[in-house]
Amino acid sequence: MSGVYLDYNASGLVRPEVREVMAEVLAEGGNPNAVHAAGRRARGRVETARARVAELIGADPTAIVFSSGGTESNAQAIQSALAAGCERLIVGATEHPCVAEAANVSGRPVEILPVDSDGVVDLDWLAGALARPGQAVVAIHHANNESGVIQPIEAAAKLVRAAGGWLHVDAIQSAGKIPVDMRTLDADTLTLSAHKLGGPQGVGALVSKEGVPVIRTLHGAGQERGLRAGTENVPGIAGFGVAAECAARDLSSAMAHKAWRDAAEAKVKAAGATIIGGAVERLPNTLFMAVEGWDSPQQLITLDLSGVMVSAGSACSSGKTKPSKAISAMGLDRLATGGVRVSGGWGTVESDWQRFADAWVAAYQKHAARVSERAKEVA
């Protein structure tokens, strides 16, 4: 890819190992539910991938249900919790839109779990909400897709357990960037998406704790232990498995991004940017920043013309940029239209971060000069 790609939180570049295995699977063919040799070979690909994905997050392979991606898996988790007896939903204020919308269309009461000015969920508020009548499903992502802020999942889990609730954790952004362990997090359900790890788009997974009742949301034949009907996407699942294996292997080196990110962050902050969530623990690959009075689209276009590809935050709005949900939830509305997210991944090198910082500072200085000139003209 020409230019500098720093939008891995939207979608990671596909790893070479993943492309290779997917090409092999496409050439092999076979339905994994068939009993002949080609079918058994395809089944082997699926189960190998299941074991690799499970290994990445410290889960049993039988806990993995493959899906079309994070949106489907998040919806299945919430519907399963409601089918199991949960009467209301508590959803973090900065959750991904697919979680928030799945809650909103459920027909059950939805309460918004607030975050502080750094984007961290308010555990005292959560404790009070859980003390009210009605079993609740609590949805908190492990790390925010915009800011990279890491949530106190283990502490939240203790509160949910004490109240007899259901904890759902969207770990789509955190897996492969920081350690994710299903047992340590103590989640009832957890979701993953392959393309955030350097795998293909269009494949994800729902992971459940032993004994947690997951319901099917797609009906048909008995694939995925009867929990997700439809012929498995064997090439995508195989690619997911390899991406998970590579992510587990490279987890320690992923921390190198923190030093690179911090150096770039220091440059843009000195130039006038506000760092979102900068005072708390974040994903090492993520920098979310904003300036007042310089809209995100203008920044993105300027950087793109300089050969640097970043985003304004969540990339799930058909290419449109909207005010940042995360920034607004933190009470920073004056900055909500000026957010820029920079996120590295397996193919990122230190010079990519340096190039971004230099390009942004140069662009911002030109922008500030134009604003100053217009102010003089008006005066």
Side-chain angles (χ1 to χ4, degrees):
M1 176 180 290
S2 60
V4 172
Y5 184 80
L6 287 169
D7 201 15
Y8 277 77
N9 283 16
S11 194
L13 300 180
V14 179
R15 295 173 181 266
E17 303 96 324
V18 171
R19 295 197 299 268
E20 182 178 346
V21 75
M22 290 183 69
E24 291 175 2
V25 175
L26 286 167
E28 291 170 356
N31 187 315
N33 302 292
V35 297
H36 50 59
R40 295 195 302 274
R41 183 169 56 239
R43 173 54 56 190
R45 293 285 195 179
V46 170
E47 298 311 318
T48 296
R50 200 185 307 276
R52 287 169 170 168
V53 172
E55 179 66 23
L56 175 66
I57 57 168
D60 190 281
T62 60
I64 307 290
V65 176
F66 288 119
S67 70
S68 66
T71 295
E72 180 189 336
S73 291
N74 280 323
Q76 187 175 11
I78 288 173
Q79 291 178 43
S80 295
L82 296 176
C86 290
E87 304 166 61
R88 58 197 178 104
L89 300 104
I90 298 174
V91 179
T94 58
E95 293 303 302
H96 191 277
C98 73
V99 174
E101 285 304 303
N104 290 338
V105 301
S106 69
R108 306 294 178 86
V110 179
E111 302 164 74
I112 303 302
L113 168 57
V115 298
D116 63 18
S117 59
D118 292 312
V120 179
V121 296
D122 186 335
L123 293 177
D124 289 336
W125 185 98
L126 177 60
L130 288 169
R132 293 193 285 271
Q135 185 181 17
V137 50
V138 179
I140 307 175
H141 49 202
H142 193 195
N144 181 256
N145 56 300
E146 294 185 74
S147 66
V149 168
I150 298 170
Q151 300 293 349
I153 299 297
E154 294 174 46
K158 291 179 181 178
L159 297 176
V160 176
R161 291 285 153 264
W166 178 305
L167 177 63
H168 173 59
V169 175
D170 178 337
I172 289 169
Q173 284 297 347
S174 58
K177 298 165 187 169
I178 58 174
V180 175
D181 190 289
M182 184 76 177
R183 295 157 298 193
T184 301
L185 295 177
D186 197 20
D188 292 283
T189 47
L190 179 145
T191 45
L192 303 168
S193 186
H195 74 114
K196 308 295 186 178
L197 301 168
Q201 297 169 349
V203 59
L206 172 63
V207 192
S208 58
K209 181 190 291 187
E210 184 179 1
V212 168
V214 174
I215 64 167
R216 66 164 70 188
T217 55
L218 291 179
H219 300 274
Q223 294 92 347
E224 293 300 288
R225 306 193 317 280
L227 296 176
R228 203 273 181 177
T231 302
E232 293 91 341
N233 172 9
V234 182
I237 289 171
F240 189 3
V242 171
E245 183 178 50
C246 292
R249 177 198 67 199
D250 298 341
L251 192 57
S252 58
S253 61
M255 292 304 297
H257 286 277
K258 184 179 185 303
W260 304 343
R261 188 270 313 276
D262 289 350
E265 182 176 295
K267 285 186 179 181
V268 298
K269 185 176 181 180
T274 297
I275 308 304
I276 308 300
V280 295
E281 187 179 8
R282 293 168 289 159
L283 296 175
N285 78 311
T286 304
L287 165 60
F288 197 35
M289 50 183 273
V291 290
E292 188 173 0
W294 193 19
D295 287 346
S296 302
Q298 296 173 340
Q299 296 182 61
L300 301 187
I301 292 170
T302 302
L303 288 169
D304 196 35
L305 291 172
S306 300
V308 178
M309 291 166 274
V310 297
S311 67
S314 179
C316 299
S317 301
S318 301
K320 300 176 183 177
T321 55
K322 298 180 179 180
S324 165
K325 179 180 179 180
I327 293 178
S328 294
M330 296 178 195
L332 303 172
D333 285 324
R334 63 185 178 82
L335 298 172
T337 61
V340 169
R341 180 185 66 187
V342 189
S343 50
W346 67 267
T348 305
V349 294
E350 184 176 9
S351 61
D352 293 338
W353 282 98
Q354 294 170 342
R355 184 170 167 184
F356 152 73
D358 291 341
W360 188 89
V361 169
Y364 182 59
Q365 289 172 344
K366 290 180 181 179
H367 166 76
R370 288 193 297 269
V371 171
S372 178
E373 284 299 317
R374 286 196 294 267
K376 290 178 182 177
E377 292 172 2
V378 172

